[in-house]
Amino acid sequence: MVPREAAGAVPARELSGGMNPRTVILVGLAAAAAASVAAVWVWRRFLRWREKDPDEIERLRRVDVNRRGRIAAAEIVDLVEPEEIAPVKSARRPCMIVYKYEVAGVTYEVSQDVSTLPSALAASRSLAHESASIKYDPRAPTNSIIACEEWNGIEGWSGAAKAAD
């Protein structure tokens, strides 16, 4: 049997800079634990940064339905403005346009909050029981819009013209 040093092997102490192999393993584990803690901290900060408020989520839904939606005829049923019971902290009050439409023989009656779309809100106040166009998601017909930032289905209303007034 040939001793390791005689066969050209380098002793473990010389590989680790003269440190004990157990110490090297412990330092490596401590570095891995510190890196893991740092990675979890960075990931949580990233997730908090990505959180969106409900208004932004609704805006993204409207834009998505506008982008890939199909157009159908609808009837505006009502405009619902809740009564103010207590002082509201936010500046805007929700205002819902209730409308109904038919897709593939099924009638849907839904509502959309248009309080973030002031031009659509102003145009809809006098349009109860009038016809309109809506866009709906072909994969989920209940997901529909009557107006968004880039499109509107309220007949006789032009978002660009009303916004300029």
Side-chain angles (χ1 to χ4, degrees):
M1 188 158 163
V2 178
R4 291 179 112 179
E5 289 81 15
V10 180
R13 287 186 184 263
E14 289 181 23
L15 285 176
S16 61
M19 293 177 63
N20 185 348
R22 284 187 181 169
T23 306
V24 172
I25 291 172
L26 289 175
V27 168
L29 288 174
S36 297
V37 168
V40 167
W41 181 80
V42 167
W43 182 252
R44 284 190 163 181
R45 294 279 297 192
F46 175 72
L47 289 179
R48 264 191 245 131
W49 172 75
R50 281 189 44 206
E51 287 179 359
K52 295 176 178 69
D53 65 339
D55 290 337
E56 177 67 10
I57 293 169
E58 173 62 16
R59 186 190 72 77
L60 292 173
R61 183 196 71 83
R62 286 191 307 259
V63 170
D64 182 55
V65 171
N66 178 49
R67 182 177 49 86
R68 60 186 164 104
R70 292 190 183 158
I71 297 177
E75 178 186 352
I76 298 174
V77 176
D78 198 8
L79 180 69
V80 178
E81 293 181 276
E83 295 181 18
E84 189 172 333
I85 298 172
V88 180
K89 292 180 183 177
S90 67
R92 74 173 176 90
R93 292 176 42 205
C95 186
M96 310 294 278
I97 294 180
V98 181
Y99 56 96
K100 65 180 177 180
Y101 60 99
E102 186 175 320
V103 175
V106 178
T107 302
Y108 299 93
E109 187 166 329
V110 297
S111 63
Q112 178 182 345
D113 181 5
V114 293
S115 56
T116 57
L117 305 167
S119 300
L121 179 61
S124 65
R125 292 197 187 277
S126 61
L127 295 175
H129 304 291
E130 295 290 327
S131 61
S133 298
I134 57 105
K135 282 192 177 183
Y136 69 93
D137 185 347
R139 295 180 291 173
T142 56
N143 188 8
S144 65
I145 59 171
I146 197 164
C148 73
E149 291 77 5
E150 302 164 359
W151 178 85
N152 74 80
I154 302 171
E155 294 184 12
W157 175 69
S158 169
K162 294 286 183 184
D165 290 343

